[in-house]
Amino acid sequence: GQCGSGWDVMAEQCSKSLNGLLGGLAQITYYQSPGITEQMLKEQLYPDLPQQDFKILHEKMVGILRSIASADMDFNQLEAFLTAQTKKQKGITLEQAEVLTKFWKTHKVKIRESLINQSKWENCLRNISWRVDLKSQSRHLDQINTPVAIMEFELGKNDQESEFVCLELEETKVNQLLKKLTEIEESISELSYTN
């Protein structure tokens, strides 16, 4: 029997196989798992399916998953999209649509995070901490015991170790920094859509 025939036991097995295939595709495409290959998925999940039929199923699911993930679909969009796919000639079955829906509910957040991480070239800010302290050393005596802000930035990229950058700012520098941040915030507010 092939997936797509109408027996309940078969249908359940087909759902499991398709769920496994989607999981494998997510591992390859979004989670950078080098150990998983298309051929491995075929052998483990669809051993009886002719290679050509597997290739068609594989390409169809890659395309659908890519559409869903790149649009970061919410569940209403997903339902509309999959319903349209079931009505297309050579589209997907209702059972496949159901498996895709369950799969996306489980993986949506993780796939989105993975896509965001893949799109970063530079380090990003992981954490920021600060405290106010009194300056204890200076070349100029009159600057000793003046308050300073000590800021520590934790920077990192994907799975690499963090690097730390430490700054010491006097009051005038803190005020300049706050002024700049306010300007940035105002620019962002102007550029972003107001609902």
Side-chain angles (χ1 to χ4, degrees):
Q2 302 274 304
C3 285
S5 48
W7 307 322
D8 288 348
V9 179
M10 268 313 290
E12 193 181 324
Q13 187 51 51
C14 288
S15 293
K16 281 184 180 160
S17 297
L18 182 60
N19 194 45
L21 177 63
L22 293 170
L25 295 177
Q27 291 289 344
I28 294 168
T29 315
Y30 303 109
Y31 309 146
Q32 273 71 54
S33 300
I36 296 174
T37 64
E38 187 181 326
Q39 197 50 42
M40 193 170 106
L41 293 173
K42 155 97 180 76
E43 287 162 12
Q44 286 185 1
L45 301 166
Y46 294 93
D48 304 329
L49 196 64
Q51 187 66 41
Q52 191 52 36
D53 292 359
F54 177 75
K55 198 169 174 48
I56 291 167
L57 177 70
H58 178 271
E59 281 169 11
K60 191 187 290 179
M61 291 305 151
V62 166
I64 287 174
L65 206 51
R66 191 171 289 139
S67 298
I68 295 170
S70 60
D72 191 28
M73 291 184 187
D74 65 31
F75 297 113
N76 291 335
Q77 292 168 316
L78 179 70
E79 191 181 350
F81 173 72
L82 292 176
T83 300
Q85 293 295 317
T86 60
K87 296 193 167 120
K88 274 168 71 173
Q89 206 178 5
K90 295 195 172 141
I92 59 172
T93 65
L94 289 169
E95 289 79 17
Q96 288 173 332
E98 206 175 294
V99 175
L100 279 155
T101 303
K102 282 184 186 157
F103 179 82
W104 186 238
K105 279 183 176 160
T106 312
H107 288 264
K108 178 177 165 53
V109 173
K110 207 171 160 195
I111 287 177
R112 183 168 182 269
E113 280 172 7
S114 171
L115 284 169
I116 290 168
N117 283 331
Q118 286 176 37
S119 66
K120 290 179 193 161
W121 290 286
E122 299 297 327
N123 285 343
C124 61
L125 183 63
R126 284 186 175 157
N127 198 3
I128 183 169
S129 54
W130 63 279
R131 68 180 197 277
V132 176
D133 214 333
L134 292 177
K135 204 172 180 75
S136 56
Q137 298 174 324
S138 176
R139 281 184 295 212
H140 308 288
L141 274 173
D142 60 347
Q143 286 181 350
I144 290 183
N145 287 335
T146 55
V148 288
I150 294 167
M151 299 184 76
E152 187 178 70
F153 299 95
E154 182 186 350
L155 307 171
K157 189 176 175 193
N158 294 354
D159 302 327
Q160 295 167 5
E161 287 230 348
S162 296
E163 19 179 316
F164 294 89
V165 176
C166 205
L167 303 177
E168 200 174 273
L169 306 170
E170 285 144 12
E171 193 178 355
T172 50
K173 289 279 182 214
V174 170
N175 288 332
Q176 283 173 358
L177 180 67
L178 290 172
K179 187 170 178 286
K180 280 280 178 221
L181 288 172
T182 305
E183 286 169 17
I184 291 168
E185 194 176 10
E186 284 166 1
S187 297
I188 291 171
S189 297
E190 281 171 26
L191 291 169
S192 46
Y193 305 118
T194 45
N195 291 341

